[in-house]
Amino acid sequence: MDKMRNLKWFVLFSALALVFAFAIAGCEKQTEPTTPDEPVTDEPVVEEVSGPIKIGLAAPMSGDAAAYGEIIRNGAMMKIEEINEAGGINGRMLELVIGDERCDPKEAAAVGQNFASNEEIVAVLGHVCSSATLAAIPYYDEAGLPAISPTATNVEVGPSSEYMFRNVFTDDFQGRFMAKYAKEVLGVEKVGVFHENNDYAIGLKEAFVAAAEEIGLEVVGIEAYVADTVDFAPQLSKFKELAPDAIFIAGYYQQGGLILAQAETLGLDVSFLGADGLNNPELINIAKDAAEGFLASSPLVYEVAGDEAQAFKDAFEEKYGLTPDWMAANAYDAIGMIAVAIEECGADREAIKECLAAMTDEETGYLGIAGITVFDENGDCSKPVFVSEVKDGEFIAAEKQMLE
């Protein structure tokens, strides 16, 4: 009896053990058998990144300042096409994503926000006008998106963000330079100052006037205008009464061309000089013969910039049928700097910023057609100021330079 009872218990326990064993086996993860062609590894799978590397271009492609945008886009595209034709960067092509900001702060803020939120964009070329640049910077700063402006010269641009760089001098530097040029090179004793009411022009005006006071250049009058002004006769008439030897214009080419033309109509026979925002072929198209003899500061004049700069000028004219100004050269070089940063540090926003910030001396700086660019702690650079003159209907190097 006991033996029978023990046998029953043994059978029962054996059955339960088998059920339990099958249950555990069913819960275990099933794996596919491996073959010699599919080795097992614990290494993480790294997906290879492909497709174009996207760079944003924030510039005025329409509106009054469209001539700036066109020439900057063309300069940038020349460099991008050179890089892509040579195989790109690590096999990936560069692609320019254009944002039309019309040199308007509101439009620029919208473009900046769009670029910042587009994770495919790893860097930005722009903005162009200083007020537009300042409006977009907060979005780039928040998103950690590096940007290089080839043209924005207001002193506040660089210190506003660690992600903002520029390969052009600042307004305080060129404004003071032009006051000294007027006094020491042109022999001007009395000068009038005519400026637009925006961040760029006000900064220039303040620097020019401060330097004039220091060197004994008498400022006989200061007049202002707004961006959409088309009739400058009231202010020019005041200047005619004050009889300065010269008038310094701080503004952009659209209004500058009208000022020169209307000054000639009024019989205001004085020398006119201005800053880099006026150094554009469109000023000549607007002012016609009244532009002859006009002087403007410039980060670059091709006649004295070397063989590579001259070769760029010739290639640009052949490709686009336009004479490039200094903005085209700076855009070309800015794309080159971004490309070097991508190649050396990777197509990553933070890595590009760090790579640009490391360009701090002649050894680590970028040598382009506009000379060597190195950045200080604010992302600013030191560049010499050249002077261009309108002669026979085009901007050329002024006969007298004052390189410091």
Side-chain angles (χ1 to χ4, degrees):
M1 186 70 176
D2 290 336
K3 289 182 179 181
M4 290 296 294
R5 184 182 295 113
N6 290 340
L7 181 59
K8 290 179 179 179
W9 281 112
F10 176 80
V11 173
L12 178 61
F13 281 126
S14 298
L16 288 172
L18 286 171
V19 171
F20 184 69
F22 282 122
I24 291 175
C27 292
E28 289 179 353
K29 182 178 179 181
Q30 300 298 311
T31 58
E32 293 293 328
T34 59
T35 67
D37 295 331
E38 297 177 346
V40 177
T41 177
D42 292 331
E43 293 293 325
V45 177
V46 178
E47 294 185 7
E48 184 175 343
V49 179
S50 60
I53 300 171
K54 296 184 179 181
I55 299 170
L57 169 62
M61 305 311 301
S62 62
D64 290 341
Y68 292 149
E70 179 183 12
I71 212 156
I72 287 171
R73 178 195 61 199
N74 292 346
M77 284 305 303
M78 281 192 67
K79 188 63 176 180
I80 286 175
E81 289 171 3
E82 286 179 14
I83 293 169
N84 288 346
E85 287 171 4
I89 300 176
N90 298 323
R92 297 176 66 189
M93 302 295 107
L94 296 183
E95 180 180 315
L96 202 61
V97 180
I98 298 176
D100 181 8
E101 39 91 294
R102 299 172 61 89
C103 267
D104 177 84
K106 290 183 179 179
E107 297 289 338
V111 169
Q113 186 175 26
N114 181 48
F115 282 173
S117 63
N118 185 345
E119 294 182 357
E120 292 186 339
I121 294 177
V122 298
V124 172
L125 172 63
H127 292 229
V128 176
C129 299
S130 291
S131 294
T133 306
L134 290 167
I137 284 175
Y139 298 100
Y140 301 146
D141 193 59
E142 182 179 0
L145 176 59
I148 301 180
S149 173
T151 58
T153 52
N154 182 270
V155 294
E156 297 299 324
V157 168
S160 296
S161 170
E162 64 178 313
Y163 292 91
M164 192 71 218
F165 301 85
R166 54 179 157 188
N167 60 326
V168 65
F169 46 56
T170 58
D171 289 334
D172 55 346
F173 181 62
Q174 69 165 330
R176 297 178 70 86
F177 176 94
M178 290 307 290
K180 290 180 66 177
Y181 187 89
K183 172 79 172 176
E184 298 175 12
V185 177
L186 302 180
V188 172
E189 296 295 333
K190 299 189 299 180
V191 66
V193 178
F194 204 5
H195 71 91
E196 184 175 336
N197 268 323
N198 62 29
D199 293 315
Y200 164 71
I202 291 172
L204 277 170
K205 179 260 296 185
E206 291 175 349
F208 185 95
V209 170
E213 292 175 354
E214 293 174 7
I215 63 178
L217 174 60
E218 182 183 359
V219 178
V220 296
I222 300 174
E223 295 290 332
Y225 60 89
V226 295
D228 57 357
T229 302
V230 294
D231 182 9
F232 299 92
Q235 298 100 318
L236 290 172
S237 296
K238 290 181 183 179
F239 281 128
K240 189 174 183 180
E241 292 177 5
L242 294 169
D245 301 320
I247 294 175
F248 175 72
I249 306 172
Y252 297 127
Y253 69 85
Q254 310 94 312
Q255 291 75 33
L258 293 175
I259 289 169
L260 295 177
Q262 292 175 27
E264 183 178 63
T265 300
L266 286 171
L268 181 53
D269 187 18
V270 300
S271 297
F272 280 91
L273 63 156
D276 58 346
L278 297 161
N279 196 330
N280 185 281
E282 275 302 304
L283 177 135
I284 302 170
N285 292 336
I286 295 168
K288 303 291 191 297
D289 291 343
E292 196 73 9
F294 175 73
L295 297 160
S297 58
S298 176
L300 171 77
V301 286
Y302 290 98
E303 294 83 357
V304 297
D307 293 340
E308 286 190 22
Q310 190 60 52
F312 167 80
K313 179 176 182 287
D314 294 342
F316 190 101
E317 289 176 339
E318 182 178 354
K319 183 176 181 65
Y320 296 110
L322 299 169
T323 299
D325 62 5
W326 65 270
M327 292 186 178
N330 271 20
Y332 179 91
D333 279 354
I335 290 292
M337 281 180 262
I338 292 171
V340 166
I342 293 171
E343 185 172 22
E344 293 183 356
C345 300
D348 171 81
R349 292 180 175 185
E350 191 67 24
I352 293 169
K353 186 265 286 186
E354 293 295 334
C355 212
L356 292 172
M359 297 179 181
T360 56
D361 54 38
E362 289 194 7
E363 184 177 346
T364 58
Y366 179 82
L367 181 59
I369 59 173
I372 191 164
T373 298
V374 298
F375 298 116
D376 65 15
E377 66 276 8
N378 293 321
D380 291 335
C381 71
S382 295
K383 290 287 184 77
V385 181
F386 297 92
V387 178
S388 298
E389 179 181 6
V390 178
K391 189 171 183 179
D392 297 329
E394 66 175 331
F395 276 107
I396 63 169
E399 183 177 349
K400 296 180 179 179
Q401 300 289 329
M402 190 182 73
L403 299 178
E404 295 184 328

